[in-house]
Amino acid sequence: MNQKKSKQETTYLRFFGLAELVNHGPRGILAFWMILGMAFFLFGDQNLIAPNMKNIGASLGITDPYEVDWKFGGIIPVLFFILGGLVSLSMGYLSQAFSRKHLLIATVLLGEIPCFLTAYAQNYDQFLVLRTLCGFGLGGIFPLLFSLIGDYFSSQSRAIATGYVSLAMGLGVGVGQLLGGILGEADPINGWRASFIYMSAPSFFFVAVYLLFCKEPKRGGAEEVGVDELSHKISLKDFKLLFENKTNLGAFLQGLPGCIPWGVFFVYLADYYEHTYHLTKEVSAGMITFAAIGIFIGTFFGGVLGQILYNIKKTYQPLLCMGTTFFGVFPAILLLYAFDIVPHMGLFIALNIFTGIMISVTGPNVRAVLLNVNEPKSRSAIFSIYNLTDDLGKGLGPVMSAVILGLTPDRGLALSISILFWIPCALAWLLVLFNYEKDEKNMHLLLKQKTT
């Protein structure tokens, strides 16, 4: 009976591209799905403000349009991501001194408790402090998630696994924004408050299950050679060595400019649709949801395609990222001007979906690349740094757009300039392209030397 159940379990995991989870037993399988659930809801609150900036502003006594843009689209993202970046950077060291399972639980709680309390903010200062504190969660969870994923899966399936995690994060952002838009349309006064409760409360269930029934994988357990988890602690010298890896450097360099356009999509685009194209709040949020559908498709199948290309020839994976990042600029800019020239709404919806696909392929693949070229002991540290560059980009993107919006009445031009930052992002992939195979080979050689 148990053998039959195990066979069925293996079959369904193989169907989803997760066959390697069988090696970690039922508790490992449960842990993976709990991690996805926590990622979904924690990232779900990241963009709850975007569809309701004016509603929130009015509730807190702020009505001037530029003040709303600056306070909710500029100041809050900067402080949110600065705190998140600092917390993320500390995780490389903390994950060596403490259980990653317990750190993951702590970061989720530190992120979701202030998110829940945001629903009860009575003025802008309270709102600002609570939203800033939410940065604890997003900053802490990112390096821990991918450090754990690197130990559940080998390089032969990491891109697919990171695709699932990236999909959970992106789906959370999209569902959160849609829910915020729907509730804000239904109740402009208090609808936004309910959205913060709905997107934070379920996390406490996932935390409880993960705490009581799950365990973390052995560090380095997915590598071809054994790794002594406790033989080395991360130091400042190790952070320096991470930058000597040119693949790491390329991933960091593409992260900074590459995240700036995301500030447009998840902070200003819904508002742009509403006030430039004169769509209702609900329809505007719906358009963002169609873009999010494209992002979900691109995130998951981009990871699958990246894994297939990696297994054929490793350099095909960064080529895929470079091409989709560069060519994604054109449909993204077209979104800002196409509504008045497309024949009907169906084509505009299709353009939103296509844009989402193009701009999201890189996400799961860059994370798989980083896992493949770094030792298990260094993965928390590497994702701490990567998340710091990611947070800097996300924080700077909305601020840059807010500054440009204050200088020109042409919102389309201001947002187009932000989108053009995907071009240097694509060029940074050249550094990965020319060093990927060599850096991955060096990592495996180093592991073998340490175990002989």
Side-chain angles (χ1 to χ4, degrees), residues 9 39 156 173 208 221 250 263 266 278 288 290 331 380 386 404 418 433 436 443-444:
E9 200 173 64
Q156 299 305 306
V173 173
F266 292 119
H278 306 294
I288 301 298
F290 283 115
S380 293
Y386 174 73
I404 298 170
S418 296
L433 179 66
Y436 188 23
M443 186 272 290
H444 287 297

Side-chain angles (χ1 to χ4, degrees), residues 312-384:
I312 295 172
K313 184 175 174 62
K314 294 178 181 180
T315 52
Y316 290 166
Q317 192 176 26
L319 269 175
L320 171 69
C321 296
M322 184 168 63
T324 53
T325 300
F326 180 81
F327 290 106
V329 168
F330 302 102
I333 290 179
L334 194 58
L335 284 176
L336 303 173
Y337 299 98
F339 184 77
D340 294 325
I341 59 175
V342 294
H344 50 76
M345 183 69 80
L347 285 178
F348 189 62
I349 290 173
L351 180 62
N352 276 271
I353 295 173
F354 178 72
T355 302
I357 293 172
M358 290 294 289
I359 64 178
S360 59
V361 169
T362 293
N365 286 291
V366 68
R367 291 153 190 163
V369 166
L370 288 172
L371 287 172
N372 289 339
V373 299
N374 289 281
E375 297 177 68
K377 71 178 179 63
S378 302
R379 285 173 184 155
S380 293
I382 201 69
F383 277 97
S384 296

Side-chain angles (χ1 to χ4, degrees), residues 414-450:
L415 301 182
S416 296
I417 292 171
S418 296
I419 289 171
L420 290 175
F421 277 87
W422 268 320
I423 295 176
C425 168
L427 295 176
W429 274 100
L430 288 169
L431 197 57
V432 178
L433 179 66
F434 293 123
N435 293 280
Y436 188 23
E437 286 187 294
K438 179 185 70 176
D439 288 337
E440 185 176 1
K441 184 178 179 181
N442 289 341
M443 186 272 290
H444 287 297
L445 287 173
L446 190 60
L447 283 179
K448 286 181 180 179
Q449 289 173 3
K450 290 182 177 181

